[in-house]
Amino acid sequence: MNVWKYIYIKFFKIRRRVIGKDGADDFAAMLFVAFLDMFLYFGILILIDRLVDNVLSTKYEPFFFALYILGMLTIGWLRNRSMCKGDAFERIRKEVEAEPRKMLWGILSILYIIFVVLFFLFCCYVGKNGLRFLEPL
């Protein structure tokens, strides 16, 4: 089991409680997990762009955009194949429900979501202002 599977099933249950049953519950839960992965991917792209002195976003803007879009589509496609196709949803659901340490996985999943959001915000700050906070006053 991993944190993505736990987040996937828990978000599925929360969404089902809030909205009710519809045909796209498992796909919407998969999109939430893929959205977290896309935050990480875009943060890494921002850091790489900043390390090469914003060359990608200024001089090669179409290439930077293509990297971002192709990365998003690849992440979405891979998550869809691994979490929604065939009997993958039922297999993941049984694995999560049979897990004896639900409290541990709940804490880890919350920490992972917080880490992703903070990492993305840090990358956006570094992308805009650089690493000025490391310089002496």
Side-chain angles (χ1 to χ4, degrees), residues 38 41 66-79:
M38 287 177 210
Y41 177 71
L67 271 177
Y68 180 63
I69 293 299
L70 288 175
M72 281 188 351
L73 292 174
T74 303
I75 288 170
W77 179 75
L78 287 173
R79 285 289 175 203

Side-chain angles (χ1 to χ4, degrees), residues 83-115:
M83 293 184 159
C84 293
K85 295 293 181 187
D87 294 335
F89 176 74
E90 289 301 321
R91 180 180 44 81
I92 292 170
R93 187 179 197 174
K94 288 176 185 173
E95 183 180 346
V96 168
E97 289 174 355
E99 179 63 40
R101 299 173 298 185
K102 289 188 187 337
M103 178 76 112
L104 171 70
W105 286 105
I107 292 170
L108 287 176
S109 64
I110 290 170
L111 288 175
Y112 176 73
I113 292 170
I114 291 170
F115 166 75

Side-chain angles (χ1 to χ4, degrees), residues 11-48:
F11 188 77
F12 171 81
K13 289 180 179 180
I14 290 169
R15 186 178 188 279
R16 172 103 14 126
R17 240 181 275 138
V18 171
I19 295 176
K21 186 175 181 177
D22 65 358
D25 289 336
D26 55 342
F27 186 74
M30 181 276 307
L31 284 178
F32 180 73
V33 175
F35 187 65
L36 292 174
D37 291 342
M38 287 177 210
F39 264 172
L40 283 175
Y41 177 71
F42 193 55
I44 291 169
L45 276 181
I46 290 171
L47 285 179
I48 290 171

